[in-house]
């Protein structure tokens, strides 16, 4: 799972460099995120602009990362493709996460 991270003040931006977060990639995604979020930023922004498909396993992996961060750190999402956005909306997880139209909206 290819992830690129950059710090922007109190924000850690994690760019997902894969098209899919599905059952085959969910465990790798969680493992890589566990490595990346050791940076102690209070906010973590997940850039999903390259992700065109996310299934229930992928959604579960994103929720797991949110739980991993704990209550003192926020996981936010940005640049969701329409199909990915639909998954969050149908599961009402769009009410759990702060979702930004673009990565730059979170700065």
């Amino acid at each position: 799972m290819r992830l690129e991270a950059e710090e922007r003040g109190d924000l850690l931006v994690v760019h997902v460099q894969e098209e899919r977060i599905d059952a085959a990639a969910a465990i790798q995604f969680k493992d890589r995120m566990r490595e990346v979020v050791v940076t102690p930023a209070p906010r973590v922004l997940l850039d999903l602009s390259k992700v065109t498909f996310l299934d229930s396993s992928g959604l579960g992996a994103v929720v797991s990362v949110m739980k991993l961060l704990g209550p003192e750190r926020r996981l936010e999402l940005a640049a969701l493709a329409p199909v990915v956005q639909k998954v969050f909306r149908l599961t009402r997880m769009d009410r759990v996460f702060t979702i930004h139209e673009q990565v730059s909206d979170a700065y």
Side-chain angles (χ1 to χ4, degrees), residues 23-76:
I27 292 173
Q28 291 176 345
F29 172 77
K30 287 190 291 189
D31 289 345
R32 284 289 295 128
M33 283 298 293
R34 194 173 292 117
E35 295 169 6
V36 169
V37 299
V38 295
T39 302
R43 294 172 56 216
V44 177
L45 179 69
L46 197 56
D47 171 11
L48 297 173
S49 58
K50 293 188 177 170
V51 178
T52 58
F53 181 80
L54 180 122
D55 67 5
S56 60
S57 296
L59 179 63
V62 172
V63 171
S64 291
V65 171
M66 177 186 71
K67 290 180 179 178
L68 170 73
L69 293 176
E72 65 282 345
R73 297 175 75 192
R74 265 195 349 236
L75 179 63
E76 302 174 26

Side-chain angles (χ1 to χ4, degrees), residues 1 3 16 18-26 29-30 33 46-65 75 77-94 97 99:
M1 173 64 58
L3 303 176
V16 180
E18 302 286 344
E19 291 183 2
R20 301 173 66 93
I21 304 177
D22 55 15
F29 172 77
K30 287 190 291 189
M33 283 298 293
L46 197 56
D47 171 11
L48 297 173
S49 58
K50 293 188 177 170
V51 178
T52 58
F53 181 80
L54 180 122
D55 67 5
S56 60
S57 296
L59 179 63
V62 172
V63 171
S64 291
V65 171
L75 179 63
L77 311 175
L80 278 61
V83 172
V84 174
Q85 192 170 33
K86 185 176 181 180
V87 171
F88 280 88
R89 191 174 58 253
L90 289 174
T91 59
R92 297 181 188 256
M93 294 306 285
D94 60 341
F97 292 97
I99 300 176

